[in-house]
Structures are given as structure tokens and as C-alpha cells.
Amino acid sequence: MQNKRILLGITGGIAAYKIASLVRLLIKSGAEVRCIMTPASCDFITPLTLATLSKNDVIQSFWDTETGSWSNHVDLGMWADAFVIAPLTASSMSKMVQGNSDNVLLAAYLSAKCPVIVAPAMDLDMYKHPSTIENMHKLESFGVQIIPANDGELASGLIGEGRMAEPEEIHDYLQIHFAKKRDFLDRNVLITAGPTHEAIDPVRFIGNQSTGKMGIELAKAFLNRGAKVTLILGPSAEQIGHPNLTLRKIVSGMEMFEEVKSVWNNNEIGIFSAAVADYRPAQVADQKIKKKEETLGLELVKNPDILFWAGQNKAEKQILVGFALETNNEEENAKQKLIKKNLDFIVLNSLNDSGAGFAYSTNKITILDKDNKSISFQLKSKKEVAEDILDHLKNNS
Ligand code: C5P
């Protein structure tokens, strides 16, 4: 953790007394530490203790009355390589979810551009309360990483879940975090994902079974490895959030096309995993179509092939990856698409492989490249498949 800059946020729970040990461990590992405290946390550990151990001033408010200077929370968020909030109380957690910035720690959280890692600590009933569980899900959907609380003896005398992860565990988590690959640092990546819905009338549409899972796992993998991602996502129940993510939610293929056209040339890498409807209704009825005749004709017109457009408008340095979901003559069809759409790689998943395809959380892929090389992978979780695709891109482009 040599020279890593860690902004350590402390909120008002009894576990705050353990943060002295965490600061010592981090300093010993070579990190630079700055502490930022909520007013309530000062009842559990003194700013003087943390200032002495961290060898830095402690930020407690927007305004430093001694020096007369303003604590710039935006700069702090930019300075840090990671913002760790430990302990995180139920109250501060709910404020983070709401975007409440009534103290300097919360303001720093709202403006942080670095990864945010939290270690919740609370009594077991609070930890298990549906509102806490929902808040943790929301924080995760914002891209916050959670180090779960342990099972053990709590300050209340009760025994159960809610005990903050030990300083050694938080330290180890950070060590693993910094050891991770950051081999796509600051590279701009465009990803399309999910299905599209093509309206028939105000309540009906033509859609498909895509869930968006594969594209979302790809977005997460790129974000974890340092990239800046623009994700253009069709209707999907999946959640994703991250400071380096620009999320554009769309509904139809035409909307996806407009978004792609406006951002493609700002990106070095394009991964097109969306299941775009090939056709859309020629006319969208203003009112709900009434049930009348025995048969109903629906005229369909072709949607633009967005990936084809990106291939036609690809600059020398841009890398373009498409997906192919085939049911027959798989490799040959995928190869044809690779050439026709001017791709660098195509990821083939076959519906003939059990466990691969839309609704599964696993996938089995073959990557074909423009030099006619192909590599097949085992059935894996979509998360692992995403890592394989990134490794392949890194090693072959
Ligand atoms: O030609 P086919 O639809 O099988 O090609 C699949 C690939 O093309 C996928 O990468 C998909 O995201 C992309 N595509 C697209 N726009 C369309 C149809 C497919 O971007 N209208």
C-alpha cells in the first residue's frame, strides 16, 4: 500500500475506538492517511488521537476555526485513492443513500471520485432491519463496496451480526483492493447492453429475453480495472453504479442508436452486447389497440444495425467488439458478422450450450478475431467471462 492515499471517514459508533489501530496498520504499510470525522464520532475517539497517529490534521467541519481556513471536501475526494468509512452507522448510511450532506464527511462522500469502501457497524436488530438491508443494496448500486459486519459480541451485550470488521480485516481488504489489476486505467469504454423494447401501442411492445447481465458484468469489470465506462442500457432489472460510470437508460433501438452516435468517437473501445430488436413496428398506435378481428397484421420495419454503423465509423485506434448469439452454423455465422460489421473481435455464445445465454448467470463463449484465430472458454459465471474478455482484449490489441 506504499504511498496510497487513504481518506478515512469515521462516524459516531462505539467501534470508532478501533480506528486508531486501523490508522497504525495503514501507516505501517506505507499508506498516507487523512481522517475525516462526523461530529458524533468525536464522542468515541478524539481527533487528537487520530491526528497523532495519522501524522495529519483531522477534518471535522467545513470550517477550521483555528486556522480560519475552509476544508475543501471536493479536493479531498480528488486526493484520495480510496475513501474508507469505518465504522459506518445506520444514520450515516441512510444519509449517504439520500444524498444528505449535513456534515463534511457526507459532503466528501458525495464529491468523491475514488472507490468508496464502507465497514458498517450497528446493533444486530439495526443491522437486520429491512431499511438497513435496503440501504446497503442502494449503496452497492451506487458502486460503494461494503465490508460486511461480523457475527460476535456487540456493545449492547447482545450477540449477533453487526460488529464492525476488525481493523486487520479492513486493512487486508484494502491490500487486495490495491493489488487488483488497473490495466484499463482512464480508458474510455462504450458498452451497449440489455434488450430493446419496440412500442406497438402505449402499453405493448416487441422485446426479447435479454437481461443485460453480461453487459453489466463487463461494465463492472472495466470499472474495477480503472476504465471510464459509458453504458447504454435497455430495460433491465440489474443495478449498477460507480463514480466512473455514465449510465444512459434507453428503451428502443432507435434511442440506443442516437446515444451511440453521440458518444462513439469519444471512446477507444466499444463492446456491443445489447440484444437490439432487428425490427420495430412501422407505426406506433396512439391509443391501445382494441381486440376486434380474428387476426391482426403488424407491419415491421428494420431497425438500424448500430454495431454495423460503429464499424463503418471506426477510427484506426478504436477497438470494436460484437456479440453473436447463434443457434446453428455458429462459428461460420459469427465470422461473417465479424467481417461484415468491421469488428476486431466477436464473442460467440451458442444457445446449444446448456447454461449459456440470456437468463443464466453463466455463459460459455468463443472469441473469434479478425486474424481468424479463435479461442473457446469453459462454462463460467458471467463475472468470470467478463474478466476473460478483458484479459483477451488486453493481450491481443
Ligand atoms: O447481426 P446480429 O444481430 O446477430 O449481431 C449481433 C451483434 O450486433 C451484437 O453485438 C449486437 O449488440 C449488435 N447489434 C446492434 N444493432 C442491431 C442489431 C445487432 O448493435 N440492430
Side-chain angles (χ1 to χ4, degrees):
M1 251 182 292
Q2 200 63 37
N3 301 328
K4 290 292 177 217
R5 295 161 163 178
I6 296 171
L7 182 62
L8 188 53
I10 300 106
T11 75
I14 179 67
Y17 82 89
K18 295 185 178 174
I19 296 308
S21 312
L22 178 59
V23 176
R24 291 199 60 182
L25 288 170
L26 293 171
I27 296 281
K28 237 172 131 180
S29 295
E32 204 181 325
V33 180
R34 295 211 64 186
C35 293
I36 183 164
M37 302 178 73
T38 62
S41 71
C42 303
D43 292 334
F44 297 97
I45 184 164
T46 70
L48 182 61
T49 306
L50 295 178
T52 311
L53 293 173
S54 68
K55 305 183 178 72
N56 259 319
D57 292 343
V58 170
I59 304 119
Q60 300 168 65
S61 71
F62 291 101
W63 189 250
D64 184 337
T65 39
E66 267 175 37
T67 61
S69 61
W70 182 56
S71 301
N72 190 335
H73 54 86
V74 177
D75 282 353
L76 278 172
M78 304 283 240
W79 169 85
D81 294 313
F83 186 10
V84 181
I85 307 177
L88 176 64
T89 58
S91 164
S92 289
M93 182 187 285
S94 83
K95 288 180 182 178
M96 284 167 73
V97 167
Q98 288 159 12
N100 180 331
S101 63
D102 70 0
N103 62 51
V104 70
L105 184 151
L106 294 166
Y109 162 67
L110 286 180
S111 46
K113 287 269 172 273
C114 59
V116 179
I117 299 160
V118 301
M122 52 197 89
D123 214 357
L124 81 163
D125 296 320
M126 295 169 84
Y127 194 68
K128 284 270 167 256
H129 196 277
S131 62
T132 304
I133 293 169
E134 195 176 310
N135 282 340
M136 288 207 263
H137 285 146
K138 287 216 176 112
L139 282 187
E140 275 180 322
S141 79
F142 299 160
V144 172
Q145 300 173 46
I146 298 177
I147 308 177
N150 289 334
D151 221 325
E153 196 181 324
L154 301 164
S156 61
L158 296 172
I159 294 178
E161 242 181 322
R163 201 181 144 97
M164 187 183 78
E166 293 301 325
E168 290 75 11
E169 291 173 85
I170 301 174
H171 172 265
D172 291 352
Y173 185 98
L174 285 169
Q175 230 162 14
I176 293 168
H177 170 84
F178 286 119
K180 272 195 201 143
K181 283 192 253 179
R182 304 282 288 168
D183 49 359
F184 284 89
L185 190 66
D186 290 336
R187 294 184 73 182
N188 291 311
V189 181
L190 169 66
I191 299 177
T192 71
T196 64
H197 287 179
E198 310 298 332
I200 298 171
D201 69 16
V203 293
R204 301 181 180 102
F205 59 83
I206 297 174
N208 60 62
Q209 311 245 32
S210 166
T211 55
K213 268 192 196 133
M214 191 62 245
I216 285 181
E217 288 303 341
L218 280 161
K220 287 181 180 168
F222 274 113
L223 289 163
N224 283 338
R225 287 163 73 160
K228 293 181 177 156
V229 175
T230 301
L231 174 63
I232 304 177
L233 180 64
S236 166
E238 301 292 315
Q239 298 271 355
I240 180 169
H242 192 279
N244 287 337
L245 173 75
T246 306
L247 180 62
R248 300 255 184 269
K249 290 196 172 181
I250 56 84
V251 176
S252 67
M254 290 303 276
E255 286 170 6
M256 183 172 276
F257 190 31
E258 288 311 313
E259 292 288 352
V260 168
K261 280 197 286 188
S262 70
V263 295
W264 174 220
N265 63 10
N266 305 329
N267 287 278
E268 288 166 67
I269 300 172
I271 312 275
F272 284 57
S273 65
V276 185
D278 290 328
Y279 292 91
R280 67 179 187 278
Q283 243 110 46
V284 182
D286 290 342
Q287 306 294 330
K288 188 178 166 200
I289 298 172
K290 293 269 181 297
K291 180 170 31 173
K292 281 191 236 142
E293 312 299 331
E294 281 306 309
T295 58
L296 174 71
L298 197 57
E299 195 192 347
L300 302 176
V301 292
K302 225 177 188 172
N303 255 342
D305 188 324
I306 308 171
L307 179 57
F308 179 82
W309 177 90
Q312 295 302 300
N313 292 277
K314 186 171 80 160
E316 188 73 33
K317 61 171 185 24
Q318 284 178 305
I319 297 162
L320 188 56
V321 182
F323 273 68
L325 182 74
E326 302 293 334
T327 52
N328 62 306
N329 207 8
E330 291 108 334
E331 289 221 13
E332 195 42 48
N333 285 345
K335 218 173 270 172
Q336 292 303 326
K337 278 179 198 171
L338 176 102
I339 297 163
K340 184 175 149 219
K341 302 192 189 202
N342 192 22
L343 310 180
D344 297 278
F345 302 98
I346 193 156
V347 181
L348 166 68
N349 25 170
S350 161
L351 274 188
N352 296 329
D353 290 318
S354 61
F358 286 135
Y360 295 100
S361 51
T362 48
N363 204 359
K364 185 171 184 319
I365 60 158
T366 299
I367 303 180
L368 309 171
D369 70 19
K370 57 182 180 194
D371 304 323
N372 258 331
K373 278 191 284 183
S374 88
I375 163 161
S376 294
F377 296 82
Q378 299 295 315
L379 183 75
K380 295 183 180 187
S381 71
K382 285 186 174 168
K383 192 180 166 68
E384 290 168 305
V385 170
E387 294 293 342
D388 284 343
I389 294 173
L390 266 69
D391 288 342
H392 190 82
L393 265 182
K394 193 74 217 169
N395 298 332
N396 296 280
S397 58

